[in-house]
């Protein structure tokens, strides 16, 4: 970057922003909105340019192997500790740019928590197939403190607030849901398989509009 020769006090600095003066040597490329550093500068034509540096968190453990259930910490690319060791237990992926799924650090009934690349807890994740729910048609199921189910997208945005007693994944633009019911054990499954029973099922679209 080269200085444009414009006094810095003439630059219209936005509030709470770090301002530089520079000339671009080549065009900018799209950036990931999930970042930990944002720099705003002005090129020779006085056009504001935003540069963002992505954060990638990587799981580390003192155990011999990084596997599901071991205590972990998460470090960013600079080696800074974003999530302290032992706060969570390892769940699935060890490196992810936007979202991380972790288990609560408790011996029984540990819930899955979704955190972002800054270590902020976003919501609980619905458990499916011994892990976090799969993304289907761009959405996956989440839960609140009371166990009600909603939906979020792959960037961690809550699309439908948790409100359903039970909810199936989206398929062909709709999801089967209910506001009441109970979970029952499949006979002779030795408590390993369950199903949902409700007398009032209906469908919703991705805007949470209900229909039969």
């Amino acid at each position: 970057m080269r200085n444009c020769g414009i006094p810095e006090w003439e630059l219209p600095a936005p509030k709470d922003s770090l301002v530089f003066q520079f000339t671009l040597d080549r065009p900018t490329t799209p950036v990931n909105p999930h970042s930990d550093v944002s720099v705003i500068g002005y090129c020779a034509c006085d056009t504001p340019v935003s540069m963002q540096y992505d954060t990638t968190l990587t799981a580390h453990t003192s155990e011999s192997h990084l596997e599901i259930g071991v205590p972990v910490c998460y470090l960013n690319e600079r080696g800074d500790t974003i999530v302290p060791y032992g706060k969570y237990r390892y769940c699935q992926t060890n490196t992810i740019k936007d979202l991380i799924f972790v288990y609560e650090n408790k011996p029984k009934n540990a819930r899955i928590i979704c955190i972002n690349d800054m270590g902020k807890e976003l919501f609980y994740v619905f458990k499916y197939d011994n892990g976090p729910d799969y993304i289907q048609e761009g959405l996956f199921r989440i839960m609140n403190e009371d166990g009600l189910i909603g939906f979020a997208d792959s960037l961690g945005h809550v699309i439908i607030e948790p409100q359903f007693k039970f909810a199936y994944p989206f398929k062909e633009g709709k999801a089967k849901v209910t506001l009441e019911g109970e979970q029952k054990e499949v006979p002779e499954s030795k408590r390993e398989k369950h199903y949902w029973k409700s007398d009032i099922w209906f469908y919703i679209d991705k805007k949470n509009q209900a229909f039969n």
Side-chain angles (χ1 to χ4, degrees), residues 146-193:
D146 298 321
L148 298 180
I149 301 174
F151 293 86
D153 65 17
S154 60
L155 294 178
H157 302 134
V158 176
I159 304 303
I160 299 175
E161 292 286 346
Q163 58 198 271
F164 304 109
K165 179 68 175 181
F166 304 125
Y168 287 93
F170 271 90
K171 183 178 181 180
E172 298 179 352
K174 62 182 180 180
K176 185 179 178 180
V177 299
T178 184
L179 299 174
E180 59 185 54
E182 57 182 325
Q183 179 171 281
K184 289 183 171 290
E185 180 184 341
V186 175
E188 301 180 0
S189 68
K190 298 181 180 180
R191 299 183 179 180
E192 292 185 357
K193 297 181 180 180

Side-chain angles (χ1 to χ4, degrees), residues 95-184:
T95 303
I96 191 167
K97 283 210 175 258
D98 298 319
L99 300 178
I100 298 173
F101 300 121
V102 294
Y103 280 111
E104 293 177 306
N105 193 358
K106 52 194 301 187
K108 294 183 179 179
N109 302 318
R111 293 171 292 187
I112 299 175
I113 302 174
C114 177
I115 62 177
N116 65 13
D117 54 14
M118 296 301 293
K120 178 182 178 182
E121 294 186 357
L122 302 180
F123 39 70
Y124 296 109
V125 180
F126 181 81
K127 286 184 181 180
Y128 182 77
D129 196 21
N130 295 320
D133 193 36
Y134 299 122
I135 295 177
Q136 297 197 50
E137 299 190 5
L139 301 178
F140 64 96
R141 288 170 288 182
I142 64 174
M143 303 181 73
N144 64 9
E145 285 281 359
D146 298 321
L148 298 180
I149 301 174
F151 293 86
D153 65 17
S154 60
L155 294 178
H157 302 134
V158 176
I159 304 303
I160 299 175
E161 292 286 346
Q163 58 198 271
F164 304 109
K165 179 68 175 181
F166 304 125
Y168 287 93
F170 271 90
K171 183 178 181 180
E172 298 179 352
K174 62 182 180 180
K176 185 179 178 180
V177 299
T178 184
L179 299 174
E180 59 185 54
E182 57 182 325
Q183 179 171 281
K184 289 183 171 290

Side-chain angles (χ1 to χ4, degrees), residues 21-32:
Q21 306 160 27
F22 61 90
T23 299
L24 295 178
D25 293 324
R26 58 183 179 274
T28 57
T29 56
V31 295
N32 189 329

